[in-house]
Amino acid sequence: MKRTPLIAGNWKMYKTGTEAVETATTLARLCSDIKDTEVMIAPTFLSLPLVAASLEDTNIKIGAQNLYFEKQGAFTGEVSADMIKAAGAQYVIIGHSERRLYFRETDTSVCRKIKAAVEVGLKPILCIGESETQRNEEKTFSVLDKQVSDGLKGFGLDDLAHLVLAYEPVWAIGTGKTAGVDQVMQVHQHLRSLLEKLFSKDFSDQTRILYGGSVNPENAKNLMDIEDVDGALVGGASLDADKFINIIKYNK
Ligand code: PGA
């Protein structure tokens, strides 16, 4: 089954509104001839509506980096799925390891966030990944299995039609250490079978599984050419349009 690759940029807590619009506009110009790859950027909540306005009529999609699962209410500092959708996003990153680590997100809150996203028609990008200690203790698969099965607990196939999974080994994020081709291949194959076991063969075939963790223009081709890798979630190297375009166009 052919899955359209997705190259997604996670801008984390970088760039003011003006800087974000500037990079987004440059990127849109560089991406104008991209056809068979979906490109998405996730700026901060503050920049999101500005970036969305500047990317109207371009082929770049917008995502948020997080959401809160309640619809509205007295939740100081939080932003709902509806608000994100109304601001122009189509995607939302959920359960990034930095959120799990610094903001104590759990598989239970991740699951509620996916539900909130799906309810308003936002496409969730569920991030999963093992820490270095967990890998050394040979717990990688059990950690990933739990993150996927608990994160997706209670959903039917229809709810998850637009789900994207992002495998991001925690030890490879922002460290310059990339997982080896064999490691990535093994994990992605494992995740593909897990989706089949939990849901169905069709679902597993159609769901995109991204790799993330120190992806850069130099290693993109090696990683993206792995059979079960359907794109990348890129942090640092997505902040610069000229670098990011070389990841997006890794095949050219
Ligand atoms: P990195 O971040 O590319 O800077 O390692 C990836 C991510 O956090 O999604």
Side-chain angles (χ1 to χ4, degrees):
M1 141 116 27
K2 176 125 179 55
R3 296 175 290 266
T4 306
L6 170 64
I7 310 284
N10 173 9
W11 283 0
K12 307 192 181 187
M13 200 175 75
Y14 289 100
K15 297 185 190 290
T16 61
T18 314
E19 290 163 349
V21 167
E22 205 177 288
T23 310
T25 314
T26 309
L27 186 67
R29 192 165 31 77
L30 298 172
C31 281
S32 57
D33 59 340
I34 301 280
K35 285 192 196 69
D36 305 327
T37 302
E38 230 185 319
V39 179
M40 184 277 267
I41 50 178
T44 65
F45 284 138
L46 277 181
S47 301
L48 198 151
L50 302 172
V51 169
S54 75
L55 292 180
E56 249 177 55
D57 304 321
T58 73
N59 50 9
I60 302 184
K61 313 257 169 67
I62 316 276
Q65 300 172 18
N66 180 32
L67 57 70
Y68 190 53
F69 46 69
E70 294 290 351
K71 283 193 185 320
Q72 59 176 15
F75 302 106
T76 302
E78 295 299 320
V79 176
S80 76
D82 260 333
M83 295 167 189
I84 291 168
K85 180 98 190 290
Q90 282 133 308
Y91 284 93
V92 57
I93 298 170
I94 294 178
H96 189 281
S97 66
E98 286 150 17
R99 297 220 49 94
R100 293 179 192 256
L101 183 65
Y102 304 129
F103 305 99
R104 311 238 170 109
E105 289 204 7
T106 61
D107 292 327
T108 311
S109 63
V110 163
C111 184
R112 291 185 74 180
K113 288 182 176 200
I114 294 176
K115 185 159 186 284
V118 166
E119 273 171 7
V120 303
L122 280 173
K123 300 175 183 176
I125 301 181
L126 167 59
C127 300
I128 54 169
E130 82 286 2
S131 67
E132 189 152 37
T133 314
Q134 289 164 336
R135 174 160 283 268
N136 291 340
E137 290 173 353
E138 297 184 4
K139 289 185 184 149
T140 300
F141 289 158
S142 61
V143 167
L144 298 174
D145 289 0
K146 183 170 177 337
Q147 288 173 335
V148 174
S149 51
D150 289 0
L152 300 181
K153 198 178 265 170
F155 289 103
L157 281 177
D158 288 349
D159 302 322
L160 299 179
H162 300 291
L163 173 81
V164 176
L165 211 55
Y167 169 55
E168 300 201 300
V170 178
W171 48 272
I173 296 181
T175 58
K177 280 195 224 167
T178 325
V181 167
D182 286 347
Q183 287 172 325
V184 177
M185 192 175 350
Q186 235 190 7
V187 169
H188 279 237
Q189 267 170 10
H190 177 84
L191 293 172
R192 187 87 54 212
S193 333
L194 179 65
L195 291 180
E196 180 174 343
K197 208 162 71 189
L198 293 174
F199 295 98
S200 76
K201 168 99 176 74
D202 281 354
F203 176 74
S204 158
D205 279 347
Q206 91 198 14
T207 301
R208 290 176 292 183
I209 309 179
L210 313 184
Y211 169 78
S214 298
V215 176
N216 60 39
E218 288 73 45
N219 61 26
K221 186 165 168 50
N222 270 351
L223 291 163
M224 298 304 111
D225 278 349
I226 300 171
E227 196 186 324
D228 280 299
V229 173
D230 307 306
L233 183 53
V234 186
S238 71
L239 293 167
D240 176 336
D242 291 316
K243 260 199 194 162
F244 196 34
I245 193 65
N246 284 319
I247 297 177
I248 297 163
K249 292 189 175 174
Y250 65 88
N251 239 345
K252 303 255 155 44

